[in-house]
PDB file of all heavy atoms in Angstrom:
ATOM      1  N   HIS A  62      84.905  93.656 111.739  1.00 94.00           N
ATOM      2  CA  HIS A  62      84.859  92.436 112.563  1.00 94.00           C
ATOM      3  C   HIS A  62      85.418  92.747 113.960  1.00 94.00           C
ATOM      4  O   HIS A  62      86.505  93.282 114.094  1.00 94.00           O
ATOM      5  CB  HIS A  62      85.659  91.314 111.908  1.00 94.00           C
ATOM      6  CG  HIS A  62      85.481  89.987 112.550  1.00 94.00           C
ATOM      7  ND1 HIS A  62      84.516  89.103 112.141  1.00 94.00           N
ATOM      8  CD2 HIS A  62      86.140  89.388 113.583  1.00 94.00           C
ATOM      9  CE1 HIS A  62      84.587  88.011 112.882  1.00 94.00           C
ATOM     10  NE2 HIS A  62      85.553  88.158 113.779  1.00 94.00           N
ATOM     11  N   GLY A  63      84.671  92.362 114.988  1.00 94.00           N
ATOM     12  CA  GLY A  63      85.196  92.515 116.339  1.00 94.00           C
ATOM     13  C   GLY A  63      85.107  93.910 116.886  1.00 94.00           C
ATOM     14  O   GLY A  63      84.262  94.720 116.468  1.00 94.00           O
ATOM     15  N   ALA A  64      85.968  94.213 117.833  1.00 96.00           N
ATOM     16  CA  ALA A  64      85.919  95.470 118.573  1.00 96.00           C
ATOM     17  C   ALA A  64      86.227  96.660 117.682  1.00 96.00           C
ATOM     18  O   ALA A  64      87.009  96.569 116.719  1.00 96.00           O
ATOM     19  CB  ALA A  64      86.900  95.419 119.740  1.00 96.00           C
ATOM     20  N   ALA A  65      85.612  97.803 118.018  1.00 96.00           N
ATOM     21  CA  ALA A  65      85.829  99.052 117.295  1.00 96.00           C
ATOM     22  C   ALA A  65      85.917 100.184 118.310  1.00 96.00           C
ATOM     23  O   ALA A  65      85.409 100.095 119.432  1.00 96.00           O
ATOM     24  CB  ALA A  65      84.721  99.314 116.288  1.00 96.00           C
ATOM     25  N   LYS A  66      86.613 101.235 117.906  1.00 96.00           N
ATOM     26  CA  LYS A  66      86.645 102.461 118.723  1.00 96.00           C
ATOM     27  C   LYS A  66      86.268 103.622 117.835  1.00 96.00           C
ATOM     28  O   LYS A  66      86.868 103.824 116.785  1.00 96.00           O
ATOM     29  CB  LYS A  66      88.044 102.653 119.302  1.00 96.00           C
ATOM     30  CG  LYS A  66      88.160 103.904 120.174  1.00 96.00           C
ATOM     31  CD  LYS A  66      89.587 104.083 120.703  1.00 96.00           C
ATOM     32  CE  LYS A  66      89.650 105.348 121.562  1.00 96.00           C
ATOM     33  NZ  LYS A  66      91.047 105.566 122.077  1.00 96.00           N
ATOM     34  N   ASP A  67      85.265 104.387 118.264  1.00 94.00           N
ATOM     35  CA  ASP A  67      84.815 105.524 117.482  1.00 94.00           C
ATOM     36  C   ASP A  67      84.455 105.108 116.054  1.00 94.00           C
ATOM     37  O   ASP A  67      84.702 105.832 115.081  1.00 94.00           O
ATOM     38  CB  ASP A  67      85.857 106.659 117.439  1.00 94.00           C
ATOM     39  CG  ASP A  67      86.170 107.185 118.830  1.00 94.00           C
ATOM     40  OD1 ASP A  67      85.284 107.118 119.706  1.00 94.00           O
ATOM     41  OD2 ASP A  67      87.327 107.636 119.048  1.00 94.00           O
ATOM     42  N   GLY A  68      83.912 103.889 115.922  1.00 93.00           N
ATOM     43  CA  GLY A  68      83.524 103.396 114.621  1.00 93.00           C
ATOM     44  C   GLY A  68      84.651 102.855 113.747  1.00 93.00           C
ATOM     45  O   GLY A  68      84.426 102.471 112.620  1.00 93.00           O
ATOM     46  N   VAL A  69      85.864 102.799 114.314  1.00 95.00           N
ATOM     47  CA  VAL A  69      87.023 102.330 113.564  1.00 95.00           C
ATOM     48  C   VAL A  69      87.344 100.908 114.019  1.00 95.00           C
ATOM     49  O   VAL A  69      87.601 100.655 115.204  1.00 95.00           O
ATOM     50  CB  VAL A  69      88.244 103.245 113.823  1.00 95.00           C
ATOM     51  CG1 VAL A  69      89.477 102.708 113.099  1.00 95.00           C
ATOM     52  CG2 VAL A  69      87.954 104.665 113.399  1.00 95.00           C
ATOM     53  N   GLY A  70      87.303  99.943 113.081  1.00 96.00           N
ATOM     54  CA  GLY A  70      87.584  98.563 113.385  1.00 96.00           C
ATOM     55  C   GLY A  70      89.047  98.378 113.820  1.00 96.00           C
ATOM     56  O   GLY A  70      89.943  98.767 113.079  1.00 96.00           O
TER      57      GLY A  70
END
Side-chain angles (χ1 to χ4, degrees):
H62 191 90
K66 181 181 179 181
D67 299 331
V69 178

